[in-house]
Amino acid sequence: MNDYIQVDFQQQPLNEIELDILDALLCDIGFESFVQNDKGVSAFIKHEHYNSEKISEVVDSYPFTCKFDWKSNFIEGKDWNEQWEKNFFKPMVIANKCVIHSSFHTDYPKMQYDVVIDPKMAFGTGHHSTTNLIVTELLSMNLDNQKILDMGTGTGILSIISVMHGAANAVGVEIDEAAFLNALENIELNDVKKHITIIRGDASCLDNYEDCEFDIVLANINKNVILSDINHYARMLKKDGIMLLSGFYIEEVSMIKQAGIANSLEYLFVKEDNKWAMVCLKKN
């Protein structure tokens, strides 16, 4: 079981743009999850990756209007579910069609799609703008009998919702061991195991799927990984297939767009939520 460090950053007065910038900078030094609150943001990193000097460099190097005060707290792996239940993960409704909750929740609305996610620190509960953007778009699409490739699957939430919404099957790829195991647990919780395959690895593992093409490719990771691996995603996509990409800011869309064009992907549109972006591409 992974141990984590929770680092609470406080800024007065709060500046939402700067909170998002801080999230991105912390992501670059290994932080995995972020929960904003009325005082700032709580960020989470595996214990073995925690480095207080790097955090100080991040906070001191960027010209924030107000400096952040921060303190850290050790979270033993076995206590993570309790911490998440008490402080962070609340049931969430997306597009008035889908409710996302954990197995410990009892008070949540009834929706067309009932998704159970026990996150255990893996990214992807639907609360972050990037996950929300992709889920909303998926629920607006006709996924009947579609084959889905879900890169950086995290909790498996995008694969699970895709199958619930009509996809024939989904392949989720996840490099992190804890997230990989968590995705396996979540597909069991939602009784979709026969329709979803979870693979541990990065984009290089797609070499084992040379003869397989997907109707839709999803990647909710981050800008650097997407720019590095978009050629692999494009290779796995059928002609006229759709690619939904998120995990980056609206200011970074032009880079994603150009990378798509370089890989025979037509730029269709972008959607935004809290300055986070989701780009839709189509293979020509």
Side-chain angles (χ1 to χ4, degrees):
M1 183 70 72
N2 286 312
D3 296 328
Y4 277 81
I5 300 294
Q6 174 183 336
V7 185
D8 296 316
F9 295 86
Q10 295 187 5
Q11 184 192 42
Q12 293 295 333
L14 284 179
N15 183 311
E16 290 186 3
I17 294 177
E18 292 189 351
L19 285 180
D20 285 341
I21 293 172
L22 178 65
D23 289 355
L25 295 173
L26 292 173
C27 187
D28 289 339
I29 61 170
F31 280 82
E32 299 179 2
S33 299
F34 308 90
V35 179
Q36 292 190 9
N37 52 59
D38 58 359
K39 295 183 179 180
V41 63
S42 295
F44 302 87
I45 187 171
K46 287 179 181 174
H47 179 260
E48 63 267 27
H49 297 158
Y50 175 76
N51 186 314
S52 60
E53 293 182 0
K54 287 185 178 180
I55 297 175
S56 295
E57 290 174 4
V58 166
V59 173
D60 295 338
S61 63
Y62 193 86
F64 295 111
T65 55
C66 296
K67 292 296 182 182
F68 286 92
D69 294 323
W70 59 275
K71 62 180 181 180
S72 61
N73 178 45
F74 177 80
I75 300 178
E76 189 175 358
K78 66 180 182 181
D79 293 333
W80 170 244
N81 278 353
E82 181 182 357
Q83 291 288 328
W84 188 270
E85 176 182 1
K86 287 181 177 179
N87 301 305
F88 307 116
F89 187 20
K90 306 300 181 185
M92 181 175 186
V93 173
I94 299 180
N96 289 319
K97 293 182 180 180
C98 176
V99 60
I100 301 166
H101 62 91
S102 191
S103 59
F104 50 68
H105 289 132
T106 57
D107 185 15
Y108 53 87
K110 303 303 179 184
M111 291 284 158
Q112 181 179 357
Y113 302 116
D114 187 302
V115 183
V116 182
I117 297 292
D118 283 346
K120 297 184 181 176
M121 205 59 208
F123 180 81
T125 62
H127 288 69
H128 195 275
S129 292
T130 58
T131 313
N132 197 314
L133 282 165
I134 294 184
V135 171
T136 300
E137 190 63 28
L138 286 171
L139 293 175
S140 74
M141 300 169 66
N142 181 357
L143 301 186
D144 290 353
N145 298 314
Q146 300 284 285
K147 294 181 178 180
I148 311 293
L149 175 61
D150 178 15
M151 299 301 300
T153 193
T155 60
I157 188 171
L158 299 181
S159 292
I160 292 167
I161 291 175
S162 294
V163 167
M164 286 184 172
H165 192 47
N169 55 67
V171 174
V173 179
E174 176 55 57
I175 193 170
D176 180 79
E177 181 180 10
F180 164 76
L181 294 173
N182 182 228
L184 293 177
E185 293 174 357
N186 288 325
I187 65 174
E188 289 271 10
L189 285 172
N190 291 277
D191 195 26
V192 290
K193 184 178 179 180
K194 65 180 180 180
H195 298 288
I196 299 177
T197 301
I198 305 295
I199 300 169
R200 186 182 176 198
D202 56 19
S204 64
C205 75
L206 298 176
D207 293 341
N208 297 323
Y209 286 80
E210 288 290 346
D211 298 327
C212 182
E213 290 184 314
F214 294 88
D215 300 287
I216 299 172
V217 173
L218 312 172
N220 183 17
I221 311 180
N222 64 57
K223 177 196 67 177
N224 293 335
V225 173
I226 290 173
L227 293 176
S228 174
D229 294 343
I230 193 170
N231 59 317
H232 296 288
Y233 308 161
R235 177 170 53 84
M236 304 306 298
L237 192 60
K238 287 182 178 178
K239 186 179 184 303
D240 295 326
I242 294 296
M243 186 180 297
L244 300 179
L245 304 174
S246 194
F248 45 87
Y249 293 103
I250 195 72
E251 295 84 358
E252 299 169 325
V253 168
S254 60
M255 288 182 282
I256 302 297
K257 179 179 178 180
Q258 291 304 314
I261 292 172
N263 285 278
S264 300
L265 298 170
E266 176 187 357
Y267 172 80
L268 296 184
F269 60 82
V270 62
K271 293 188 177 181
E272 178 185 357
D273 183 43
N274 292 324
K275 301 178 180 63
W276 291 93
M278 182 203 69
V279 166
C280 180
L281 306 169
K282 180 179 179 180
K283 187 169 184 179
N284 293 318

